[in-house]
Amino acid sequence: MHTEYDFTHPPGRRVGVLALITNPDGDILLVEKVYRKQQGDPHPWGLPGGCAQPDEDLHDAFRRELLEETGQRIEPGDLLTVHHMPSDPPHREGLNFVFNGGVLHPAHRITLPQHELSDHQFVPLDELPYYLAPHQLNRVRTAVRNALNGHRAAYIAGHPA
């Protein structure tokens, strides 16, 4: 049973907004995160995006993060995947919302924030396992599958076994 306190003091959760962006060949845009690379993470790559601010609308967070991380004004398309990540100290529990970011043509120049991202690449689907941790790979494959099958949103949870 819930009390009033449960509604006025809900648990803190990280809310992430991510973009599934492809090039005309269908390759997926990945960015290399500086903090992950500095921590020695074997998988410093991920989809572009980041954390929503408190009380920030997810679409507004998406637009802000994509402008910050790519230098491009990208509108969020369909919601493709919601990925729940349980807490894994020091990381808080979180929800990652993956939106369709559309196709980025080669003429559009990507500008990275050097303090946050060190590189970007369009990666073919069959090469994603070399770049992404298993939970990220599951997230991206689910988003791609949903984008190809009529943009149906999917909910997934945790790390694959």
Side-chain angles (χ1 to χ4, degrees):
M1 178 192 267
H2 293 286
T3 66
E4 182 64 27
Y5 185 85
D6 295 328
F7 294 102
T8 59
H9 297 84
R13 289 188 174 110
R14 182 188 47 76
V15 175
V17 290
L18 303 169
L20 179 70
I21 298 172
T22 63
N23 65 12
D25 295 327
D27 301 330
I28 308 297
L29 176 62
L30 298 180
V31 293
E32 188 177 42
K33 315 265 181 180
V34 168
Y35 76 94
R36 286 188 189 162
K37 192 174 180 180
Q38 290 173 341
Q39 292 173 348
D41 188 329
H43 299 100
W45 295 86
L47 294 175
C51 290
Q53 301 298 320
D55 293 322
E56 185 177 28
D57 176 82
L58 292 179
H59 285 174
D60 291 340
F62 179 95
R63 290 181 195 99
R64 178 183 53 76
E65 282 291 337
L66 270 291
L67 182 59
E68 288 173 8
E69 292 202 351
T70 68
Q72 298 292 316
R73 294 190 186 281
I74 299 173
E75 287 296 314
D78 291 330
L79 176 62
L80 300 173
T81 304
V82 178
H83 188 184
H84 173 256
M85 292 297 297
S87 65
D88 183 17
H91 304 288
R92 296 177 83 169
E93 173 187 23
L95 293 167
N96 290 294
F97 294 83
V98 182
F99 292 93
N100 193 332
V103 177
L104 195 61
H105 293 275
H108 292 99
R109 185 168 180 258
I110 293 175
T111 306
L112 301 175
Q114 295 303 310
H115 65 282
E116 191 175 339
L117 303 174
S118 54
D119 200 0
H120 74 281
Q121 277 190 245
F122 281 95
V123 178
L125 291 172
D126 61 341
E127 293 181 22
L128 289 174
Y130 300 110
Y131 290 83
L132 301 173
H135 70 280
Q136 292 172 306
L137 182 60
N138 184 35
R139 179 187 302 152
V140 173
R141 284 180 172 163
T142 300
V144 168
R145 183 176 58 248
N146 292 336
L148 294 174
N149 291 326
H151 306 285
R152 295 173 292 119
Y155 174 78
I156 58 177
H159 299 277

